[in-house]
Amino acid sequence: MSGNRSLARLPLHIFTNLISHRDDEPYSPFDLRAAISHKLEQTGRSLLSKGSNLSGLSLPSSSESNGIISVGQLMRLTPPALLRALDPLLTNDECLALVTRICKICTPQPTTAKNLLSKAQNQYIPSDAKALDKCLRGGFRVGTITEIVGRAGVGKTQLVMQLCVVATRLGYGSVFIDTEKKLSLQRLHEIARERFKINTSTPEHSRNNDQSMEHESSVNIDDNSNAIHGQDVCEYSHPAEVMNNVIVHSPTSTDELLSVVSQLDEEIIVRNEVSTSSNNPSNAHLPIKMIVLDSIAAPTRVDFGGGSAPERVAAIFQLAQNLKRIADQMQVAVVVINQIDRGHGATGDQSLNGDFGSVKAALGTSWYHCVSTRIALEHYHDPQNRNGSEDSRVRTASVVKSNLVGRARMLYEVTTMGISEVKS
């Protein structure tokens, strides 16, 4: 069960029709959720300040100042204790119904291997680069972590900005966590603008400007997620809509990054509720389907350097746990950019050997085993010996780790529309 999930951010349908009809019933589902959360928080705080408890409830010392605020704390209450805490807001039957609904939402339910396979096959955020999506069997998988690793200037951020634009085309928003302060909003707007032009371009113009737009109709998102099947069904969104549906966080330290990530599930729930509410008639706010972290290594390098290995590993492991939990529970695609280390120890799974120097992904083995897919971006020719030819702009995107597909590679170049496939 999601024991740390905030009571104040539970889905609204849990509180819909929870209270039996009463003449004095003044609560909407939103108001009822807020009232229950507030009452439990105040009740728990009051009892703890008096040195009392709720029928044997023993909260950790770190929770004493906050009262009862999480699902895990609520589940440790006995039915009489819960009734006393929520009286006269809820009756005994309504308290039991509340617990049942929360358990149904927050407790993992058994399913069949067939259902899991179907779910894994259908849920993707495509990149709209045909060859890359083919390598990934559809795109960037929802419910998993995909890592993009490569040298500086190879196009890592260009690719994730393109993903944000494509997600909006499919009717989804994104969360962009920018730890390096290098997100160019002007460049994101340019990619969105250039791809928006495709909507009014002739077929010949579209082919000349981006061969990768001939996307296979088999690339899709699951129907159950309100997705749109096939590229031809939906046009690219207006740049203003793209910019309005990319939420940006800019943490400056590892602690701030951990804090942002720990609250993402609540942020996604709130955003998704807004997207389906009557106050969003023009779909100005789209539901979140993708999280981008650019990059994971930057804050840990600054905070821990090379002399705090245990603390660094602990922080990375905590971050990975939270990202995996959010990807699975919120059913979003998590895309993480990682940096490289040069030379030393670039062997085995960590090796990203190229034709002009041995490199390895940063953060080591502890992080490597946390991702489901790793995509390595590299220059096709030595970037230190460019001769000004057309080939000097060509890069490679290689799938070097995946629990679904084998190793594969595509050639690409960075254009005004993001990344575009280069025919070999």
Side-chain angles (χ1 to χ4, degrees):
M1 178 179 289
S2 306
N4 293 325
R5 194 166 183 176
S6 171
L7 295 172
R9 299 306 184 198
L10 288 172
L12 283 178
H13 63 79
I14 290 178
F15 305 91
T16 303
N17 299 321
L18 178 63
I19 294 182
S20 303
H21 178 71
R22 298 196 286 267
D23 293 336
D24 59 345
E25 196 280 297
Y27 296 105
S28 66
F30 185 87
D31 292 334
L32 182 59
R33 180 179 64 180
I36 290 174
S37 301
H38 178 73
K39 196 166 181 60
L40 285 171
E41 181 179 350
Q42 294 299 317
T43 301
R45 186 181 300 169
S46 174
L47 289 174
L48 285 165
S49 66
K50 298 176 182 178
S52 181
N53 60 45
L54 290 173
S55 295
L57 174 66
S58 176
L59 296 178
S61 58
S62 61
S63 302
E64 292 184 2
S65 61
N66 296 324
I68 302 168
I69 61 174
S70 70
V71 169
Q73 293 168 340
L74 174 65
M75 289 299 128
R76 291 162 62 186
L77 290 172
T78 64
L82 179 60
L83 178 60
R84 286 204 308 275
L86 294 179
D87 184 58
L89 187 60
L90 299 183
T91 66
N92 182 63
D93 289 342
E94 290 163 353
C95 286
L96 295 176
L98 173 64
V99 172
T100 300
R101 293 183 183 188
I102 292 176
C103 287
K104 186 176 181 180
I105 292 296
C106 296
T107 304
Q109 300 297 315
T111 186
T112 65
K114 180 180 179 181
N115 289 338
L116 289 174
L117 179 62
S118 175
K119 185 177 180 181
Q121 287 177 334
N122 291 330
Q123 296 235 358
Y124 298 94
I125 298 292
S127 68
D128 278 1
K130 179 181 178 182
L132 180 58
D133 292 331
K134 185 175 182 180
C135 291
L136 296 171
R137 292 191 183 178
F140 290 71
R141 275 191 292 159
V142 169
T144 68
I145 299 176
T146 299
E147 177 193 31
I148 301 174
V149 60
R151 303 171 191 264
V154 79
K156 302 185 296 296
T157 303
Q158 307 293 321
L159 176 54
V160 294
M161 286 193 290
Q162 179 170 319
L163 287 172
C164 291
V165 174
V166 175
T168 308
R169 177 178 70 80
L170 296 172
Y172 296 118
S174 309
V175 175
F176 199 112
I177 305 174
D178 178 26
T179 65
E180 298 193 29
K181 306 296 186 296
K182 292 183 178 179
L183 172 62
S184 171
L185 299 179
Q186 292 79 10
R187 175 60 175 145
L188 176 61
H189 187 274
E190 179 185 41
I191 294 173
R193 183 186 68 233
E194 293 302 312
R195 288 186 173 268
F196 180 69
K197 290 179 181 178
I198 295 174
N199 299 341
T200 56
S201 298
T202 64
E204 183 65 28
H205 176 84
S206 179
R207 283 194 298 270
N208 291 339
N209 280 275
D210 189 10
Q211 295 176 340
S212 69
M213 298 314 302
E214 302 169 5
H215 196 62
E216 293 178 332
S217 61
S218 61
V219 176
N220 57 70
I221 306 292
D222 184 49
D223 273 331
N224 295 329
S225 299
N226 299 321
I228 300 171
H229 283 246
Q231 182 190 15
D232 295 336
V233 177
C234 186
E235 296 181 336
Y236 279 101
S237 303
H238 189 276
E241 183 179 359
V242 173
M243 303 301 287
N244 192 49
N245 284 284
V246 178
I247 302 171
V248 181
H249 292 277
S250 301
T252 59
S253 67
T254 304
D255 286 342
E256 289 184 11
L257 175 58
L258 288 170
S259 177
V260 167
V261 172
S262 68
Q263 300 176 53
L264 279 178
D265 50 354
E266 297 181 15
E267 181 177 349
I268 292 171
I269 290 172
V270 172
R271 176 75 175 204
N272 292 354
E273 287 176 356
V274 171
S275 70
T276 58
S277 71
S278 58
N279 296 325
N280 188 39
S282 60
N283 292 323
H285 300 290
L286 301 174
I288 299 299
K289 202 66 174 179
M290 184 174 66
I291 297 170
V292 173
L293 173 53
D294 183 7
S295 70
I296 187 173
T300 59
R301 279 178 167 173
V302 172
D303 293 343
F304 301 111
S308 305
E311 293 85 351
R312 184 185 183 189
V313 170
I316 293 170
F317 187 69
Q318 182 181 353
L319 185 59
Q321 278 188 319
N322 282 330
L323 289 174
K324 291 173 72 173
R325 173 182 59 80
I326 293 169
D328 179 57
Q329 293 180 357
M330 297 291 103
Q331 280 300 285
V332 296
V334 175
V335 183
V336 177
I337 288 180
N338 194 7
Q339 300 169 345
I340 64 168
D341 290 330
R342 295 180 181 274
H344 303 295
T347 59
D349 291 337
Q350 300 303 303
S351 177
L352 299 173
N353 293 323
D355 296 331
F356 32 85
S358 177
V359 298
K360 67 174 181 177
L363 304 184
T365 305
S366 58
W367 167 251
Y368 173 80
H369 292 293
C370 294
V371 303
S372 298
T373 305
R374 168 176 281 178
I375 302 172
L377 306 186
E378 183 57 286
H379 296 278
Y380 189 64
H381 294 287
D382 188 347
Q384 304 301 323
N385 296 309
R386 294 179 180 177
N387 54 16
S389 67
E390 291 294 320
D391 286 346
S392 66
R393 299 197 302 268
V394 179
R395 296 97 185 267
T396 64
S398 304
V399 180
V400 296
K401 177 192 175 183
S402 174
N403 56 9
L404 182 65
V405 302
R407 290 186 175 240
R409 188 179 81 160
M410 69 164 279
L411 301 180
Y412 72 94
E413 64 179 347
V414 177
T415 68
T416 56
M417 289 189 291
I419 70 166
S420 298
E421 179 188 355
V422 174
K423 298 296 184 180
S424 57

